Short mmCIF file of all heavy atoms in Angstrom, two decimals:
data_model
loop_
_atom_site.label_atom_id
_atom_site.label_comp_id
_atom_site.label_asym_id
_atom_site.label_seq_id
_atom_site.Cartn_x
_atom_site.Cartn_y
_atom_site.Cartn_z
N GLU A 223 0.83 -1.21 0.00
CA GLU A 223 0.00 0.00 0.00
C GLU A 223 0.86 1.25 0.00
O GLU A 223 0.59 2.21 -0.74
CB GLU A 223 -0.93 -0.01 1.21
CG GLU A 223 -2.02 -1.05 1.15
CD GLU A 223 -2.83 -1.10 2.44
OE1 GLU A 223 -2.21 -1.16 3.53
OE2 GLU A 223 -4.06 -1.10 2.36
N SER A 224 1.91 1.26 0.83
CA SER A 224 2.80 2.42 0.90
C SER A 224 3.52 2.63 -0.43
O SER A 224 3.65 3.77 -0.91
CB SER A 224 3.82 2.24 2.02
OG SER A 224 3.20 2.17 3.28
N SER A 225 3.99 1.54 -1.03
CA SER A 225 4.73 1.66 -2.30
C SER A 225 3.83 2.20 -3.40
O SER A 225 4.27 2.97 -4.27
CB SER A 225 5.32 0.32 -2.70
OG SER A 225 4.30 -0.61 -3.01
N GLU A 226 2.55 1.83 -3.38
CA GLU A 226 1.62 2.31 -4.40
C GLU A 226 1.44 3.83 -4.29
O GLU A 226 1.43 4.54 -5.31
CB GLU A 226 0.26 1.61 -4.23
CG GLU A 226 -0.75 1.97 -5.31
CD GLU A 226 -2.05 1.23 -5.14
OE1 GLU A 226 -2.09 0.24 -4.37
OE2 GLU A 226 -3.04 1.62 -5.78
N ILE A 227 1.31 4.33 -3.05
CA ILE A 227 1.17 5.77 -2.85
C ILE A 227 2.45 6.48 -3.27
O ILE A 227 2.42 7.51 -3.96
CB ILE A 227 0.85 6.08 -1.37
CG1 ILE A 227 -0.48 5.47 -0.98
CG2 ILE A 227 0.83 7.59 -1.13
CD1 ILE A 227 -0.77 5.55 0.50
N VAL A 228 3.60 5.93 -2.86
CA VAL A 228 4.88 6.54 -3.18
C VAL A 228 5.09 6.62 -4.69
O VAL A 228 5.53 7.65 -5.22
CB VAL A 228 6.04 5.76 -2.52
CG1 VAL A 228 7.38 6.17 -3.11
CG2 VAL A 228 6.04 5.99 -1.02
N ARG A 229 4.78 5.55 -5.39
CA ARG A 229 4.98 5.54 -6.84
C ARG A 229 4.06 6.54 -7.54
O ARG A 229 4.45 7.18 -8.52
CB ARG A 229 4.78 4.13 -7.39
CG ARG A 229 5.87 3.17 -6.95
CD ARG A 229 5.70 1.77 -7.51
NE ARG A 229 6.66 0.85 -6.91
CZ ARG A 229 7.93 0.76 -7.28
NH1 ARG A 229 8.40 1.53 -8.25
NH2 ARG A 229 8.75 -0.09 -6.67
N ALA A 230 2.84 6.68 -7.05
CA ALA A 230 1.91 7.66 -7.62
C ALA A 230 2.44 9.08 -7.40
O ALA A 230 2.40 9.92 -8.31
CB ALA A 230 0.53 7.50 -6.99
N VAL A 231 2.95 9.33 -6.19
CA VAL A 231 3.51 10.65 -5.89
C VAL A 231 4.75 10.90 -6.74
O VAL A 231 4.95 12.00 -7.27
CB VAL A 231 3.87 10.75 -4.39
CG1 VAL A 231 4.69 12.01 -4.10
CG2 VAL A 231 2.60 10.74 -3.54
N HIS A 232 5.58 9.88 -6.88
CA HIS A 232 6.81 10.01 -7.67
C HIS A 232 6.50 10.35 -9.13
O HIS A 232 7.16 11.20 -9.74
CB HIS A 232 7.62 8.72 -7.59
CG HIS A 232 8.95 8.79 -8.28
ND1 HIS A 232 9.99 9.56 -7.80
CD2 HIS A 232 9.42 8.19 -9.40
CE1 HIS A 232 11.03 9.43 -8.59
NE2 HIS A 232 10.70 8.61 -9.57
N GLU A 233 5.50 9.70 -9.68
CA GLU A 233 5.13 9.98 -11.07
C GLU A 233 4.63 11.41 -11.25
O GLU A 233 4.93 12.07 -12.24
CB GLU A 233 4.06 8.98 -11.52
CG GLU A 233 4.60 7.57 -11.71
CD GLU A 233 3.50 6.57 -12.03
OE1 GLU A 233 2.33 7.00 -12.16
OE2 GLU A 233 3.81 5.36 -12.15
N ARG A 234 3.87 11.90 -10.26
CA ARG A 234 3.40 13.28 -10.34
C ARG A 234 4.57 14.25 -10.23
O ARG A 234 4.57 15.31 -10.85
CB ARG A 234 2.40 13.56 -9.22
CG ARG A 234 1.08 12.81 -9.37
CD ARG A 234 0.15 13.11 -8.22
NE ARG A 234 -1.06 12.32 -8.28
CZ ARG A 234 -2.03 12.38 -7.37
NH1 ARG A 234 -1.91 13.20 -6.34
NH2 ARG A 234 -3.10 11.63 -7.49
N ARG A 235 5.57 13.87 -9.44
CA ARG A 235 6.74 14.75 -9.28
C ARG A 235 7.51 14.87 -10.59
O ARG A 235 8.13 15.89 -10.85
CB ARG A 235 7.66 14.20 -8.19
CG ARG A 235 7.06 14.30 -6.80
CD ARG A 235 7.14 15.71 -6.30
NE ARG A 235 6.46 15.86 -5.03
CZ ARG A 235 6.73 16.81 -4.14
NH1 ARG A 235 7.64 17.71 -4.41
NH2 ARG A 235 6.05 16.89 -3.02
N LEU A 236 7.51 13.80 -11.37
CA LEU A 236 8.19 13.88 -12.66
C LEU A 236 7.51 14.88 -13.58
O LEU A 236 8.15 15.53 -14.40
CB LEU A 236 8.22 12.49 -13.31
CG LEU A 236 9.03 11.42 -12.57
CD1 LEU A 236 8.94 10.08 -13.30
CD2 LEU A 236 10.50 11.84 -12.44
N GLU A 237 6.19 15.00 -13.41
CA GLU A 237 5.43 15.96 -14.22
C GLU A 237 5.49 17.36 -13.63
O GLU A 237 5.57 18.35 -14.36
CB GLU A 237 3.97 15.50 -14.31
CG GLU A 237 3.78 14.13 -14.96
CD GLU A 237 2.36 13.65 -14.87
OE1 GLU A 237 1.51 14.45 -14.40
OE2 GLU A 237 2.08 12.51 -15.27
N LEU A 238 5.43 17.43 -12.27
CA LEU A 238 5.45 18.72 -11.57
C LEU A 238 6.54 18.68 -10.51
O LEU A 238 6.29 18.34 -9.35
CB LEU A 238 4.09 18.99 -10.91
CG LEU A 238 2.89 19.09 -11.84
CD1 LEU A 238 1.60 19.08 -11.04
CD2 LEU A 238 2.97 20.36 -12.67
N PRO A 239 7.79 18.98 -10.85
CA PRO A 239 8.92 18.84 -9.92
C PRO A 239 8.76 19.62 -8.62
O PRO A 239 9.31 19.22 -7.59
CB PRO A 239 10.11 19.37 -10.73
CG PRO A 239 9.69 19.21 -12.15
CD PRO A 239 8.21 19.43 -12.18
N ASP A 240 8.02 20.71 -8.63
CA ASP A 240 7.87 21.53 -7.43
C ASP A 240 6.69 21.10 -6.58
O ASP A 240 6.33 21.77 -5.61
CB ASP A 240 7.72 23.01 -7.82
CG ASP A 240 8.99 23.57 -8.42
OD1 ASP A 240 10.07 23.11 -8.03
OD2 ASP A 240 8.90 24.43 -9.30
N GLY A 241 6.06 19.98 -6.94
CA GLY A 241 4.96 19.48 -6.13
C GLY A 241 3.62 19.70 -6.78
O GLY A 241 3.47 20.54 -7.67
N PRO A 242 2.61 18.97 -6.31
CA PRO A 242 1.28 19.04 -6.91
C PRO A 242 0.48 20.22 -6.41
O PRO A 242 0.77 20.79 -5.36
CB PRO A 242 0.64 17.73 -6.46
CG PRO A 242 1.23 17.52 -5.12
CD PRO A 242 2.65 18.00 -5.22
N ARG A 243 -0.53 20.59 -7.17
CA ARG A 243 -1.49 21.54 -6.69
C ARG A 243 -2.51 20.82 -5.82
O ARG A 243 -2.66 19.61 -5.91
CB ARG A 243 -2.20 22.24 -7.87
CG ARG A 243 -1.25 23.06 -8.73
CD ARG A 243 -2.02 23.77 -9.82
NE ARG A 243 -2.64 22.83 -10.75
CZ ARG A 243 -2.01 22.31 -11.79
NH1 ARG A 243 -0.75 22.62 -12.03
NH2 ARG A 243 -2.65 21.47 -12.60
N ALA A 244 -3.22 21.55 -4.99
CA ALA A 244 -4.13 20.93 -4.05
C ALA A 244 -5.19 20.09 -4.74
O ALA A 244 -5.59 19.03 -4.26
CB ALA A 244 -4.81 22.01 -3.18
N GLU A 245 -5.64 20.52 -5.92
CA GLU A 245 -6.71 19.77 -6.60
C GLU A 245 -6.22 18.46 -7.16
O GLU A 245 -7.02 17.65 -7.62
CB GLU A 245 -7.32 20.63 -7.72
CG GLU A 245 -6.34 21.04 -8.80
CD GLU A 245 -5.68 22.38 -8.53
OE1 GLU A 245 -5.65 22.78 -7.35
OE2 GLU A 245 -5.20 23.01 -9.48
N LEU A 246 -4.90 18.20 -7.15
CA LEU A 246 -4.38 16.96 -7.70
C LEU A 246 -4.23 15.86 -6.65
O LEU A 246 -3.81 14.77 -6.97
CB LEU A 246 -3.02 17.20 -8.37
CG LEU A 246 -3.03 18.10 -9.62
CD1 LEU A 246 -1.65 18.21 -10.19
CD2 LEU A 246 -4.00 17.56 -10.66
#
């Protein structure tokens, strides 16, 4: 479960290096 969340966050970071917006 933790790895799934981490991988999802990591993929978003590749798209938005400075972090996601709240709506994401």
Side-chain angles (χ1 to χ4, degrees):
E223 291 175 311
S224 297
S225 66
E226 184 178 346
I227 298 172
V228 166
R229 291 181 188 281
V231 169
H232 185 69
E233 289 174 3
R234 292 179 185 179
R235 291 284 174 156
L236 295 178
E237 300 173 6
L238 298 169
D240 293 329
R243 297 183 296 275
E245 61 268 22
L246 294 182

